[in-house]
Amino acid sequence: MYTLCTEGRTINSESLDLSEKVTMRSETLLKKDKLDNAIVLEDGLVYIGEMQNDERNGFGILIYPNGSILEGNWINGKANGICKLQYSQDEYYQGNIVNNRFQGYGEYVNNNSSIYKGQWENNEKHGYGEEYFKNGSIYCGNFIRGMREGEGVYLSSNGSKYEGQFKCNTMEGDGTMFWGDGSTYKGQFQNNDINGYGVYTYPDGSYYEGYFINGKRNGIGSLIRYDGYEVSGEWEEDKFYKN
């Protein structure tokens, strides 16, 4: 079991335990004496493996015209169970497949962009998962139909951390942001920015409580300095406007 970066959450990593078995069986099938049994299918597909009733049943390898290779278990002509789909040297999926669709736990690796470990439904990231980006950023949380949606944690490569709600891959709803300089914000987010009501605390202990638009103080709010001095009233474009 993998322990993910959101406390109390774990994902089943059973597919990794079986990866060596898949590799060993595929190496056996690809030996020269087995290649004579290769079957050329429609659309240029090539299958090497076990057959029953003239259909792919058991362990086998399907080679696509574009060079992609799908290896794993087959039931009545469709991939089912722990499988590996290799798109290229730098890109592959390994995990559970149901009737040719990514379903359940699986890992998608693209060494040029990101690595995803988590739940899938109907070929899309769906449920809880982790995504590691090439730039060093990490997302841990919920996905719906391939997008970050619901509760999640985003650790940015610049050192900031967001905990809260997401919608359509963006920070949307209630959340908390932590910056490397010690600043924090707790409140409303919209379109990946501070929008709405919230409390922004500065490194020296001063804090602003009120309304924001696109990350700037706008509307009614109060600034309470670290020495207790308070400025309350209307703000515009991050500057105090009037009492």
Side-chain angles (χ1 to χ4, degrees):
M1 302 287 285
Y2 277 105
T3 300
L4 301 184
C5 62
T6 298
E7 293 184 2
R9 294 298 198 101
T10 57
I11 319 180
N12 191 332
S13 58
E14 185 177 321
S15 64
L16 288 188
D17 299 333
L18 298 177
S19 62
E20 291 186 3
K21 295 181 181 179
V22 172
T23 301
M24 290 174 61
R25 297 190 71 179
S26 64
E27 288 176 350
T28 300
L29 283 177
L30 289 174
K31 288 183 178 179
K32 187 177 184 302
D33 59 335
K34 297 290 184 180
L35 293 177
D36 295 335
N37 297 322
I39 301 173
V40 180
L41 305 173
E42 70 282 357
D43 300 325
L45 298 170
V46 177
Y47 176 74
I48 307 168
E50 298 170 335
M51 299 281 291
Q52 187 177 1
N53 299 326
D54 294 325
E55 286 192 319
R56 298 186 291 275
N57 277 285
F59 189 86
I61 299 173
L62 186 66
I63 303 172
Y64 294 83
N66 64 4
S68 297
I69 300 175
L70 175 58
E71 54 188 275
N73 194 58
W74 300 80
I75 299 176
N76 297 328
K78 294 183 178 181
N80 278 278
I82 302 302
C83 301
K84 183 176 183 179
L85 176 57
Q86 187 91 34
Y87 298 100
S88 68
Q89 184 176 355
D90 293 319
E91 184 181 7
Y92 66 87
Y93 169 87
Q94 181 169 293
N96 201 56
I97 291 181
V98 177
N99 293 330
N100 289 339
R101 315 291 286 181
F102 301 162
Q103 190 83 17
Y105 178 81
E107 299 183 4
Y108 170 78
V109 175
N110 186 330
N111 291 323
N112 296 316
S113 58
S114 64
I115 297 173
Y116 172 79
K117 301 178 180 182
Q119 298 298 317
W120 296 77
E121 184 175 297
N122 196 29
N123 275 353
E124 293 184 310
K125 303 165 190 171
H126 194 86
Y128 186 76
E130 283 187 325
E131 193 161 19
Y132 300 84
F133 298 92
K134 188 176 181 180
N135 67 0
S137 299
I138 301 173
Y139 172 78
C140 307
N142 198 58
F143 289 82
I144 295 180
R145 292 186 291 277
M147 292 189 175
R148 297 188 290 273
E149 189 101 13
E151 294 293 325
V153 177
Y154 185 83
L155 308 173
S156 177
S157 58
N158 65 16
S160 63
K161 177 182 178 181
Y162 171 80
E163 298 179 351
Q165 298 175 329
F166 287 81
K167 185 176 183 180
C168 297
N169 281 340
T170 63
M171 296 181 290
E172 189 93 11
D174 295 328
T176 303
M177 180 73 82
F178 305 87
W179 286 273
D181 65 356
S183 301
T184 63
Y185 170 80
K186 184 175 183 179
Q188 297 173 323
F189 288 79
Q190 186 178 31
N191 195 30
N192 266 350
D193 210 340
I194 296 172
N195 279 287
Y197 187 84
V199 178
Y200 190 106
T201 303
Y202 300 88
D204 65 359
S206 303
Y207 66 93
Y208 169 84
E209 182 172 358
Y211 289 89
F212 294 81
I213 297 178
N214 297 330
K216 295 182 179 180
R217 293 168 293 192
N218 275 279
I220 302 300
S222 298
L223 175 65
I224 295 88
R225 297 196 324 192
Y226 64 91
D227 59 5
Y229 182 76
E230 180 175 344
V231 178
S232 297
E234 189 171 347
W235 298 72
E236 187 175 293
E237 288 295 308
D238 224 26
K239 296 180 180 179
F240 184 67
Y241 181 60
K242 62 181 178 181
N243 292 319

